Amino acid sequence: MSRRAATLTAASVIVLVLALIGSVMKVPYVALMPGPTSNTLGTNDKGQPLIRIDGRQVYPASGHLNFTTVTYRGGPGGRIDLLTALRGWIKGDTAIVPEETIFPQDESPKQVDEENTRQMQDSQQNAEAAALHELRIPVATRVVIDGIQKGRPADGVLKPGDEITAVNGTKITNVAQVTGTMDKHKVGDTVTLAYTRDGKQNTATLKTVATPNGDRPAVGIVISDEYKFPFKIDISVGDIGGPSAGLMFSLAIVDKLTPGPLTQGRFIAGTGTITPSGEVGPIGGIQQKMIAARRSGATIFLTPKDNCSDAKSARPDGLRLVRADTLHGAVQAINALTSGKGPVPACP
């Protein structure tokens, strides 16, 4: 055998061995890829309206307002191999990120899934509140206990799901009122909480203790605002988690509750978290979400301002980026696009 042939044979063997090693060597990374997109004005995978509104006049809507998702491979118990990671680094539509980016070391995969589900539920409620805020439809709130801290005064007395209705006889309807009333006390003071459980009114008198940082009185409850909407809004997206669809949910609700189609038949996609007052927040996986949007047919992509820098550097051809700072701004931008009048905010 010639020296050249021997060298090629040895190199081939080395490449084969490395390939075999790479195909079985698991690495602590996760591959992020473009996921499915869904039209918030359309139906879900069961053929039901993705957003259904009952008890209020609803108007026909057309076009697309798609929310976008990211799918992943890897994670604890199902790690990707080295070759998959290398291919992901090479491919333009895949991001390879450290495993702890998606699965924090102090949380189990089940806890991560539960948190994603909770974030989706919160985003839906925030989206509904933001849409009604944009349309100036009054929304009432109530204060609900989300969790009880073990070993604190409320442990064994109050439960998740209890509705706090008053503190020391003062009626409250939002979290800010609870914290404001509590801050008027000193650590060691006694407070009386009125609450509703299973339709029954109750009271609990508790001695306050210091918060972990020691500067405020507390009884060991985790509370949140829960909105009481004047009519029913159902959002059904199936097994999808996370908070990033909030903006698109809000836009679809606004569209359904106002005469005339907001998009005028255009294919608009986007992403962004939403607060009850309509502030749009940044999300992760912007590159993969833009690719997913373009592949589905979108020509316009609503982009949170804090994602603009990354979005501009990875924008697919044929996709126009429109900056979305607030829900109100996003509605105005779409109206400007469809009418051809007025400025359309772009990523700087």
Side-chain angles (χ1 to χ4, degrees), residues 65 134 247-248 251 254 261-264 266-270 280 299-305 308 320-347:
L65 287 170
E134 171 68 15
L247 170 62
M248 305 312 292
L251 286 169
V254 169
L262 178 63
T263 69
Q264 295 295 324
R266 283 174 168 76
F267 198 134
I268 299 173
V280 177
T299 57
I300 298 163
F301 192 83
L302 300 175
T303 311
K305 61 181 179 180
C308 271
R320 178 179 180 178
L321 302 183
V322 174
R323 194 183 77 244
D325 301 348
T326 65
L327 172 60
H328 183 70
V331 172
Q332 288 186 316
I334 295 174
N335 286 333
L337 280 167
T338 56
S339 68
K341 300 177 182 179
V344 178
C347 283

Side-chain angles (χ1 to χ4, degrees), residues 2-267:
S2 69
R3 179 177 297 179
R4 182 180 180 185
T7 300
L8 290 174
T9 300
S12 299
V13 171
I14 292 172
V15 170
L16 178 60
V17 170
L18 291 176
L20 289 172
I21 293 174
S23 66
V24 297
M25 181 185 294
K26 303 300 182 181
V27 293
Y29 288 88
V30 174
L32 303 180
M33 299 162 288
T37 75
S38 298
N39 185 11
T40 56
L41 300 176
T43 57
N44 57 24
D45 56 6
K46 296 181 180 179
Q48 302 168 340
L50 195 146
I51 297 178
R52 179 174 176 176
I53 300 174
D54 292 318
R56 186 83 175 191
Q57 173 69 53
V58 176
Y59 300 91
S62 62
H64 288 72
L65 287 170
N66 282 40
F67 73 85
T68 52
T69 64
V70 173
T71 187
Y72 71 86
R73 290 181 60 189
R79 285 180 170 173
I80 59 176
D81 57 59
L82 180 58
L83 280 182
T84 299
L86 292 173
R87 285 195 296 267
W89 272 310
I90 295 171
K91 292 181 66 177
D93 66 349
T94 302
I96 303 298
V97 300
E99 188 175 82
E100 59 267 22
T101 303
I102 308 299
F103 299 95
Q105 293 182 353
D106 59 347
E107 295 183 24
S108 68
K110 181 180 179 182
Q111 288 174 316
V112 172
D113 287 342
E114 290 173 348
E115 175 63 15
N116 285 336
T117 298
R118 186 193 65 78
Q119 288 180 342
M120 171 57 81
Q121 293 171 344
D122 288 347
S123 76
Q124 292 176 3
Q125 179 175 253
N126 288 348
E128 294 168 16
L132 270 57
H133 177 78
E134 171 68 15
L135 297 173
R136 299 183 180 181
I137 299 173
V139 177
T141 60
R142 63 176 188 163
V143 179
V144 177
I145 297 178
D146 288 336
I148 302 293
Q149 297 170 343
K150 291 185 178 181
R152 310 289 276 181
D155 189 12
V157 180
L158 300 173
K159 295 181 179 181
D162 289 347
E163 177 187 352
I164 305 298
T165 58
V167 179
N168 287 343
T170 301
K171 183 179 179 180
I172 56 93
T173 58
N174 58 60
V175 170
Q177 291 174 335
V178 176
T179 56
T181 303
M182 291 292 292
D183 285 345
K184 295 177 182 178
H185 292 77
K186 298 178 181 179
V187 174
D189 286 352
T190 297
V191 297
T192 299
L193 304 180
Y195 65 96
T196 301
R197 179 186 299 167
D198 299 327
K200 297 181 180 179
Q201 288 284 341
N202 303 276
T203 60
T205 300
L206 305 170
K207 186 176 181 179
T208 63
V209 295
T211 55
N213 57 14
D215 65 345
R216 299 174 66 187
V219 295
I221 57 175
V222 180
I223 56 179
S224 66
D225 288 326
E226 187 173 284
Y227 297 91
K228 296 190 288 186
F229 298 107
F231 47 90
K232 189 174 182 180
I233 304 175
D234 283 330
I235 302 176
S236 303
V237 296
D239 189 22
I240 296 175
S244 64
L247 170 62
M248 305 312 292
F249 290 151
S250 290
L251 286 169
I253 295 169
V254 169
D255 196 359
K256 287 174 175 283
L257 291 176
T258 51
L262 178 63
T263 69
Q264 295 295 324
R266 283 174 168 76
F267 198 134

Side-chain angles (χ1 to χ4, degrees), residues 272-290:
T273 63
I274 198 79
T275 68
S277 61
E279 299 292 324
V280 177
I283 51 79
I286 188 70
Q287 294 92 338
Q288 287 69 43
K289 289 179 178 178
M290 289 191 301

